[in-house]
Amino acid sequence: MRPEKKRGRQAHAHGYGVGRLALAAGTAAVLAAACGGDDGDGGPPPGPPPAPALKLSTVSSLPDYVTGDDALVRLEVPAGVSGTPEVMLGKSDVSRAFTQVGDRTWQGLVRGMTLGKNTLRAQVGDSTATLEVTNYPITGPMISGPHQKPFLCTTTSFGRLGGGTLDGPFGEHCSTNTRVDYFYRNKTGGNSRWNTPTAYPVDMTYITIDEGKPTARTVPYLVRLETGTINRGIYQSAMLHDPLNDGEIGPNKRSKAWNGKLMYPLGGGCQGGWYTQGATFGTLIVDEWMKQGYAAVTSTLNIFGSNCNDLLSSETVAMTKERFIEAYGAPVYTIGTGGSGGAYQSFQTSDNYPGLFDGIIVNMVFPDVTSATLFKVFDSRLLNNYFNRAGGLAYTDEKKKAISGYLQVGNIANMSGSAGRLDPVVSFPAGFEESRKYHPVNNPGGSRATVYDHTVNVYGKDSRGFALRPIDNVGVQYGLKALNDGAITVDEFLDLNANIGGLDVDLKPTAARTAGDIDAIRRAYQSGRITHGGGGLASTAVLEHRDYFDNAVNGDIHNKIHSYSVRERLKAANGHFDNHVMLGPGPVGDNLLQLMDQWLMGVVSDASDQPKPRKVVSHKPAGLADACWDSGGNKIVEPSTAFEEGRCNQLYPAGTTPRLAAGEPLADNIVKCQLKAVDPADYKTTLNAGQLERLRQIFPGGVCDWSKPGVEQQPLKGTWLSFGPSPKNQLFDITRP
């Protein structure tokens, strides 16, 4: 490495590669020195101009979040600068790692980083650039705070395609050896292991990528499946690759069959999603994806049934995608996709950790687990307890529906059962030792099986070590809409609110309402555990396949109303929801993947300097608009709204939730309401003096004022927030509260 020249120019740059462009890049101030001399004015004569700056950036991740001791690094050399790059990692020469991949661009996988801060320095001629990167263990954590313990290793039970188990587990982080297997699509439509990789199987099928385009090529339906462990989760990646024709591949020599685009499927569930590595996930060899040349990657910790913590999921997406890019190169774009818990992750990863997903395709939508889902199941448990209490008032099914907001009375009991994810003793993963389980009497120090305790790094702990809870129903007037609609009497309304009570930290009924923990509420908003919509989601293309379950007689958690809560949040944060298109309910006839591809390629190809949110809206495909389909498959194009008149709402009416039926706004994101005095004008039915006095006794502190923001309700404090160990943008450190 040459010593730094006296008139050299230093530049600091970083980036996170997605497609052909780095998502973040920059240069630091130029440091230039002048030679001595006399120009006749008493000052030194001007020296030659400083050398043009190089641009050094990380492609596989943001430079502050490198994992596994390596990073894919890009060096861009400006015009007028010539020579072979020399790159140093600290005192080690890593120049040999770099290959020229463009006219003035070099790229290399730099290995050998130490934990913590590392400095890269590049020089070409007199031009230099430096870049500081921070490296974390491949086992994590990076931004999600201390790992949850205990933790069940599942490498020996993971459902590996083709049978067999993984090696290990090795060590406390449940690690396994990385392995690569090949599978081919056989002529009967199944996947078979390629056991003799020296000749093509006789029953292998072939596919044509980019059919009808100049880039069309016919390739063997051969899939490279990589399996390993990252951040304690088991990951897999899949892409078409013909090793007999392509040879070895890597970030600078791609598979000829890969179209350069990446799918990241995210799985549903929640209850029981803690203390485990996860047993399996659906196959990544999805015919629709493979036939078009897409690659796919995911992890067991991106399945909410294994990990009901969107923060840990987002961290795992970042680390797993980093590994993919280091192995195969940066994708043109990445699509996150999934339903229910997969929709949570799609929205929250997009909003809180921008750059990981460019577009999302979602179904069975919720904005997040913390607000929409937990509010609903919490309130349903209260209503179910109330309606079934001994000696209570008898309510007809119609009255119960009016109070709950649901279209089917069966949803009350169904949602009450789903509240098990808030019960610390109900839902542990299979194989979890009984001796480790929490019991309020027999084992009060045991592990608690709740969403809140699984997310304790965000919410913090009380004096017992239990997670603080961002849930509150103080001042909520259950059945308010039912009263004002004349569906229930004043006495029924008063009895309901006098006896609804709350739920304690063990989900046991209490006579008093539940008061939320203020610190937990504040951090839920600041950190995006309650989806805000104004972070990265503002520049994410969103295609929703809207399902319909509101008419399920026995109830279903996936109700239509949550789609409109997402839209209300987008509108409040950004002034519009033009980047969100809803297709369905009904037998959707449009191909969402093709539409998303068209949409994102328009954004990727836009080299203008307009902000990305504007690019996303302006490149939405012509004619792509909200629509539903009737039972005959006829498409009905009209704006999708929650309650307004329209053919789609006639076919697929939306129910609400107990809290919305109590007056909360459609955004459904107020944890703890501000209170106001009881006002007779709020009730369409006249309350006599005795009834008003009883109402004031039921709500001594006042009732919810839904016209105001919630207590501690606030925008995101920023994106790429950390809960440790990364100190960058750290919001809270549970080890030092």
Side-chain angles (χ1 to χ4, degrees):
M1 185 73 183
R2 298 188 185 93
E4 183 177 350
K5 295 294 185 354
K6 194 172 184 180
R7 298 188 184 91
R9 186 173 184 178
Q10 235 178 341
H12 297 264
H14 63 274
Y16 182 23
V18 173
R20 307 182 189 103
L21 302 176
L23 290 183
T27 55
V30 174
L31 303 178
C35 295
D38 189 347
D39 63 358
D41 293 325
L54 308 178
K55 183 182 290 185
L56 191 61
S57 61
T58 48
V59 177
S60 47
S61 70
L62 292 168
D64 299 298
Y65 309 110
V66 170
T67 63
D69 305 337
D70 57 6
L72 188 62
V73 177
R74 180 177 297 160
L75 176 64
E76 297 173 64
V77 181
V81 176
S82 61
T84 302
E86 296 179 357
V87 185
M88 300 291 291
L89 172 63
K91 296 180 179 180
S92 300
D93 190 337
V94 293
S95 305
R96 290 180 179 274
F98 285 79
T99 301
Q100 190 165 5
V101 294
D103 183 34
R104 311 199 65 79
T105 304
W106 297 69
Q107 187 167 274
L109 182 61
V110 176
R111 295 185 171 94
M113 295 183 182
T114 59
L115 293 179
K117 295 187 182 299
N118 295 259
T119 300
L120 283 164
R121 184 176 184 278
Q123 184 164 357
V124 181
D126 289 340
S127 297
T128 64
T130 59
L131 174 66
E132 185 176 87
V133 300
T134 306
N135 173 51
Y136 295 91
I138 196 66
T139 54
M142 183 174 65
I143 55 174
S144 67
H147 279 323
Q148 185 178 61
K149 296 179 180 178
F151 192 72
L152 297 178
C153 301
T154 59
T155 56
T156 58
S157 58
F158 179 72
R160 186 163 64 87
L161 183 64
T165 60
L166 301 177
D167 297 334
F170 305 122
E172 63 175 323
H173 301 299
C174 303
S175 301
T176 188
N177 291 319
T178 302
R179 60 176 296 143
V180 174
D181 298 285
Y182 279 85
F183 291 85
Y184 67 91
R185 182 60 56 93
N186 58 49
K187 292 182 179 179
T188 62
N191 297 314
S192 299
R193 185 184 296 277
W194 188 25
N195 292 319
T196 54
T198 55
Y200 296 133
V202 294
D203 61 337
M204 182 178 66
T205 59
Y206 291 77
I207 53 179
T208 300
I209 308 296
D210 291 345
E211 190 168 7
K213 299 179 182 179
T215 54
R217 64 269 192 204
T218 299
V219 300
Y221 202 146
L222 268 172
V223 178
R224 175 189 174 97
L225 188 71
E226 179 182 313
T227 308
T229 45
I230 291 174
N231 203 23
R232 303 201 301 179
I234 300 171
Y235 79 91
Q236 285 189 326
S237 63
M239 69 161 51
L240 292 171
H241 174 225
D242 176 7
L244 298 184
N245 184 45
D246 289 0
E248 288 296 317
I249 56 175
N252 298 328
K253 183 178 182 292
R254 301 190 178 201
S255 167
K256 295 176 183 177
W258 182 32
N259 67 5
K261 303 164 187 176
L262 182 62
M263 303 296 297
Y264 204 119
L266 306 147
C270 181
Q271 199 156 314
W274 26 75
Y275 303 114
T276 182
Q277 190 174 32
T280 190
F281 42 73
T283 179
L284 294 181
I285 306 179
V286 177
D287 200 43
E288 180 188 15
W289 302 345
M290 296 296 123
K291 282 185 174 179
Q292 298 179 66
Y294 284 88
V297 65
T298 196
S299 165
T300 52
L301 295 187
N302 298 128
I303 311 300
F304 250 35
S306 302
N307 165 44
C308 190
N309 178 338
D310 70 279
L311 169 62
L312 179 56
S313 171
S314 295
E315 177 182 66
T316 303
V317 170
M319 295 174 69
T320 304
K321 185 176 174 183
E322 176 189 11
R323 163 61 196 170
F324 178 91
I325 294 172
E326 289 168 353
Y328 306 112
V332 175
Y333 62 65
T334 303
I335 297 174
T337 184
S340 191
Y344 297 141
Q345 297 170 78
S346 297
F347 284 123
Q348 292 181 275
T349 297
S350 297
D351 206 33
N352 301 329
Y353 298 93
L356 296 177
F357 299 146
D358 300 285
I360 58 176
I361 300 175
V362 291
N363 63 300
M364 294 187 288
V365 159
F366 299 92
D368 56 67
V369 68
T370 308
S371 59
T373 305
L374 297 188
F375 290 175
K376 181 165 67 172
V377 300
F378 178 93
D379 291 335
S380 296
R381 174 63 63 90
L382 292 176
L383 289 177
N384 199 57
N385 290 345
Y386 172 78
F387 289 137
N388 291 290
R389 78 196 195 286
L393 299 181
Y395 290 82
T396 65
D397 284 354
E398 290 304 312
K399 290 186 176 184
K400 291 178 182 178
K401 288 193 292 184
I403 290 168
S404 69
Y406 301 136
L407 296 189
Q408 298 291 337
V409 71
N411 223 24
I412 299 173
N414 187 299
M415 293 303 96
S416 177
S418 290
R421 66 198 68 192
L422 300 179
D423 191 324
V425 302
V426 166
S427 55
F428 288 90
F432 197 85
E433 296 176 17
E434 289 293 327
S435 62
R436 293 180 178 271
K437 295 180 181 178
Y438 169 82
H439 186 278
V441 176
N442 300 331
N443 192 14
S447 300
R448 293 168 53 84
T450 77
V451 175
Y452 299 132
D453 289 283
H454 187 44
T455 319
V456 68
N457 291 346
V458 173
Y459 298 135
K461 300 177 183 179
D462 66 13
S463 60
R464 297 164 292 182
F466 300 170
L468 302 178
R469 299 185 301 165
I471 192 78
D472 188 288
N473 72 333
V474 176
V476 175
Q477 299 183 85
Y478 292 96
L480 179 61
K481 184 177 186 301
L483 173 68
N484 284 334
D485 289 347
I488 61 174
T489 67
V490 173
D491 288 340
E492 289 169 329
F493 172 72
L494 293 172
D495 188 81
L496 168 65
N497 283 285
N499 294 290
I500 193 76
L503 297 168
D504 70 11
V505 72
D506 288 336
L507 212 67
K508 301 302 182 186
T510 60
R513 298 291 183 102
T514 297
D517 297 301
I518 297 301
D519 288 344
I521 293 171
R522 179 176 61 255
R523 286 194 287 271
Y525 285 120
Q526 290 175 335
S527 68
R529 306 287 73 77
I530 296 174
T531 298
H532 178 255
L537 199 54
S539 56
T540 303
V542 183
L543 271 179
E544 178 182 343
H545 181 163
R546 179 64 257 175
D547 314 82
Y548 189 67
F549 301 100
D550 291 60
N551 61 349
V553 174
N554 294 321
D556 194 289
I557 198 170
H558 306 103
N559 301 135
K560 184 183 175 187
I561 195 66
H562 301 299
S563 297
Y564 304 106
S565 296
V566 170
R567 288 192 159 183
E568 287 296 300
R569 299 184 194 189
L570 287 171
K571 184 177 179 180
N574 309 312
H576 66 86
F577 49 79
D578 295 342
N579 59 319
H580 178 207
V581 178
M582 194 184 305
L583 299 175
V588 175
D590 293 350
N591 187 308
L592 273 67
L593 182 55
Q594 290 181 5
L595 288 168
M596 181 60 78
D597 177 64
Q598 183 182 348
W599 194 347
L600 293 180
M601 288 308 296
V603 177
V604 168
S605 302
D606 188 339
S608 71
D609 58 359
Q610 65 176 331
K612 189 174 180 183
R614 193 175 302 167
K615 289 183 182 182
V616 169
V617 172
S618 64
H619 288 286
K620 185 165 60 176
L624 178 57
D626 292 349
C628 72
W629 281 255
D630 65 20
S631 58
N634 298 302
K635 185 176 183 179
I636 303 164
V637 179
E638 63 180 24
S640 188
T641 58
F643 308 115
E644 285 78 356
E645 288 295 326
R647 179 62 177 152
C648 291
N649 279 344
Q650 291 175 356
L651 293 170
Y652 308 104
T656 62
T657 70
R659 198 153 295 207
L660 296 181
E664 185 184 16
L666 184 55
D668 197 18
N669 57 358
I670 294 178
V671 180
K672 182 179 182 65
C673 65
Q674 295 193 54
L675 301 177
K676 66 175 185 177
V678 171
D679 185 351
D682 291 341
Y683 309 96
K684 293 183 180 179
T685 299
T686 301
L687 278 66
N688 61 38
Q691 291 169 332
L692 280 171
E693 178 57 28
R694 188 178 181 207
L695 190 60
R696 293 187 177 103
Q697 291 174 357
I698 294 169
F699 295 102
V703 297
C704 285
D705 185 349
W706 298 114
S707 68
K708 295 180 180 179
V711 175
E712 289 290 347
Q713 187 171 5
Q714 56 194 279
L716 272 175
K717 197 172 180 66
T719 59
W720 285 91
L721 296 178
S722 170
F723 291 83
S726 171
K728 186 177 178 65
N729 300 326
Q730 191 173 101
L731 182 61
F732 178 69
D733 183 351
I734 196 169
T735 68
R736 294 181 293 176

